[in-house]
Amino acid sequence: MLTYLLKRIGAGIILLVLVSTVTFALIYGSTGNVARNILGESASAADIAAKEHELGLDRSLPVQFADWAVHAVQGDLGNSWTRNQRVAPSLASRFPVTLSIVAISVVIMFFVAAVLGITAAVRRGIADQIIQVISVVGFAMPNFWLGLLLVLLFAVRLQWLPPTGYVSFATSPASWVASLVLPVGALVFSGIASASQQVRGAVIDALNKDYVRTLRARGVSPRSILYRHALRNALPATLTVLSVQFIALLGGAAIIEQVFAIPGLGSLTVDAALQGDVPVLMGVVVTLIITVVIMNILIDILNAWANPKVRLQ
Amino acid sequence: MTETTASIPAAGPQRSSLTGLVLRNPLGLLATALIIVVLLTAIFAPLIAPNDPAAVQIFKVNVAPGDGYLLGGDGSGRDIFSRLVWGARNTLIGAAIAVVVAALLGVTAGLFAGYFGKWYETASSWISDALMALPALIVLLALYQALGASIYLSMGIFGIMLSPGFYRLTRTLVKGVKNELYIDAARVSGLTDMRIIIRHILLVVRAPVVIQTSIVAGIAIVIQAGLEFLGLGDPSMPTWGGILQNGFQNMYNAPLGILWPGLAISITVASLVLLANAIRDAMQTGAAPSFRTPAIPAKYAAATPAPTPEEGVLLDIRDLVVAYPDGNGWREVVHGVTLQVRKGDVVGLVGESGSGKTQTAFAVLDLLSTGGKVLSGSITFDGEDLTKKSETEMRALRGRRIAYVPQEPMSNLDPSFRIGAQMVEPLMNVLGLSKAQAKARVLEMLARVGLPDPERTFNAYPHQVSGGMAQRVLIAGAVASSPDLLIADEPTTALDVTVQAEVLELLRELREEFHMTVVMVTHNFGVVADICDRVAVMKKGEIVEENAIGALFSNPQHPYTRMLLGSVLEDTEVRAYRAPAAKGNAA
């Protein structure tokens, strides 16, 4: 169990190192006219050289990377090139917003998808058909379009909820909830659709296992078969779905934050991407990879708890 | 345009039956028609669009639909309809790039990893896992400056990030067929690996890859629209995502503007998913989930009355018909089986796989696989017709009076629970024992079936015991409630030869000790000879011969019985009997 976990953590660190190296090479490698972009068309060659020296771009790529990496492991991600801000603190102020949206979405998605998926697996018939329809619709409707439609309906037409903006929990819990309803709704819909399909599949698989027949042959009740045995065995597949959906939601949140003008990591990333703010982009990538790695390790732990074969390795 | 159409020829050379099945499915037909419409729109965009997508008419800003602008004008006074038509072309090219890159990379890597395995598979799987851990949209955002405004380059990179889906699918499929006999045959006959991969294995992965292509195309369209919606596209090029972005900026003045591009994206993507579903359903006809159970034909309605109980008969099966739903009708797997089992007898139910012997046994337990049904006939157990009993009543019988020993020991233990837990639970349910009593009983039974350390087995997980031990556990579980009837489905088939004999011996002892009647489902006459009093021979869902063991072995009546006996004698190397028995009937 411990070796298993150490292995997973090791794999996560390798992934982090690999992705940051490749990303760094790609985005710092293409910073040819950053200085000119920042200074404007009228800047002289000397000004540009001075700016490049100031940003450290006149050094070779490996030297730049080594410098960045040494600082990064100490939690220093450098300065933004376009705003007068340090990268790490600005990530720290925005990341919780995104994380709370994604975390709430994952939890809602998990419960709704579990209920829908299990119902469809057990009842088949109508419940099953409804889920099939939802899953096609959820897959086909881009979350940002759904978000816009929700704004038009609930904010503009019915005026039940604010159309955009974000209120922090500390300011007003009620407004915080109100500001999150539409974005989270838009974000979870497609996730629920695909996750409930997967849960349905996992539960049906578990119910079709040989040992279920044997347990039934011994007189075990259908309730215990479903809740004790089938769900327990469907859990690993469901957890995998959850990890895939978590990653998808992190990306989806970037667009949704733009639609709802939420000051999270996503809108920071979009601005940085459009303006070529490379240190911020590196910071975002590293933060998100670490988040994904941590999430996957949590899921691995849950998986090990659910699966004695893994736990007792 | 070649990229745009690349996904369609892939679907072209399917077997005509598969294409036919997809098109006969109403949703499949609709989806195909819509996809063709979108493709034609993309190809003939210059002919279809009534206006130049970039032409600005200042007096038509946010104009309502009509007056030359079919769907109205956008915030700059451009024709939304013409922009959507051109957007179809640009959007589909981008999606096609992603799909082609993903499919080429993923399928190639999957073929090699599945076929050759070893380090190659380890490396590709690691890369695939790593790619799947990346939030694609964020990576594309981060690389935006490096890639430039060309959405096509971004979609190429996105294709790489989508390739794990193809990789995993192909690898799994290839591993599944790699060891099939016909692949071995091709290898033995001297075909090179490359030829085998291209000729035989690609054939197997083709349809699933078409399904995956359809789904990935949908994902690519959505992500591409997302990037453009965020303003990361080329503003001079109309795309659905870009049009949606324009609509978004102008949403409070012209709410309709966000409707059209969203609909274009959603309808196209929905068509792709529906097409994928239709192909999947067509591939697994029969297994396709049919939402209604087909009507039971009238010929089964005339229920045969259950026989009057006879003295000494424990199980009396009459004219049993078992069937499974198949499209709009029923497919019979047991056609009118009649069998009497007297108290205390061990009756062998013998036949090849697919002869219906296991289905007959499951019908007695009322544990047919999903959809299976007893359409007519009766199963009388100790004077009561089991086919008339409700699920609750059957549950009271199962485990208590009728027990079951399965064929494959490892897959019949729940891997997530300790062996003890899954034996204690039924005893508490069925016999109403307390937890402690049930545990004591389980330990006693584990010792009785010959497990050297019952306490340890009790606390072990299924993967920690051997197949032979697991089968003893299952026998202990079945016998623990002292049932009257034990149904054993090939209880020794999955075991080593030495263990087989021990398990049969154990069953013989337990049968006497607990005064059980046993129905032994098997294909092995050696097992029959060893333990049975009577034998019923099944073929294609019917009993062709039934007799006492001695009579059947010395004087088999039915040619099929003689053939089965002949093949056994070959196995057991009794050469003297081999020639006459095998020759006449083996062909």
Side-chain angles (χ1 to χ4, degrees), chain B residues 50 53 77 142 165 189 220 238 280 300 309 314 336 338 374 376-377 426 462 482 543-544:
Chain B
S189 67
R280 191 194 57 205
Y300 298 120
L314 184 65
T338 295
V374 172
S376 74
S482 333
I543 289 186
V544 294

Side-chain angles (χ1 to χ4, degrees), chain A residues 23 27 30-31 33-34 37 80-83 91 94 254-255 258 264-285, chain B residues 136-150 154 226-228 230-233:
Chain A
T23 313
I27 67 181
S30 61
T31 49
N33 39 17
V34 164
N37 287 349
S80 159
W81 286 355
T82 55
R83 314 162 185 235
L91 288 179
R94 281 163 170 266
I255 306 191
Q258 203 73 355
L265 210 54
S267 42
L268 182 71
T269 317
V270 174
D271 292 346
L274 289 170
Q275 296 161 358
D277 195 342
V278 170
V280 170
L281 290 174
M282 271 313 289
V284 169
V285 168
Chain B
L137 197 80
I138 302 291
V139 172
L140 292 176
L141 283 175
L143 297 183
Y144 173 67
Q145 288 291 329
L147 299 175
S150 164
S154 295
L227 287 172
E228 283 150 353
L230 292 174
L232 272 66

Side-chain angles (χ1 to χ4, degrees), chain A residues 5 16 49 53 81 84 94 100 105 121 132 139-140 167 172 174 181 193-194 218 223 231 238 249 261-262 271 290 308:
Chain A
L5 263 186
L16 178 64
H53 180 71
W81 286 355
N84 190 18
R94 281 163 170 266
S100 62
S105 299
Q132 309 276 359
F139 187 85
V167 180
S172 156
V181 172
S194 101
R218 295 217 196 116
R223 173 188 287 271
L231 290 194
T238 309
L249 288 176
I262 293 171
D271 292 346
I290 292 177

Side-chain angles (χ1 to χ4, degrees), chain A residues 139 145 210 214 217 224 229 233 273, chain B residues 145 258 399 411-412 414 416 425:
Chain A
F139 187 85
W145 188 49
D210 286 349
T214 300
S224 165
H229 296 276
N233 284 290
Chain B
Q145 288 291 329
I258 65 163
S411 70
N412 277 286
D414 185 337
S416 302
E425 185 189 353

Side-chain angles (χ1 to χ4, degrees), chain B residues 105-153:
Chain B
L105 276 179
V107 171
T108 314
L111 284 175
F112 281 89
Y115 192 78
F116 296 112
K118 294 191 190 145
W119 69 268
Y120 191 87
E121 188 187 353
T122 316
S124 346
S125 295
W126 206 90
I127 295 173
S128 151
D129 285 353
L131 284 174
M132 290 196 6
L134 303 177
L137 197 80
I138 302 291
V139 172
L140 292 176
L141 283 175
L143 297 183
Y144 173 67
Q145 288 291 329
L147 299 175
S150 164
I151 198 75
Y152 296 152
L153 198 52

Side-chain angles (χ1 to χ4, degrees), chain A residues 1-23:
Chain A
M1 174 71 194
L2 196 64
T3 23
Y4 165 78
L5 263 186
L6 287 177
K7 256 189 194 166
R8 307 298 297 166
I9 293 172
I13 292 173
I14 294 175
L15 179 74
L16 178 64
V17 171
L18 219 63
V19 172
S20 18
T21 316
V22 172
T23 313

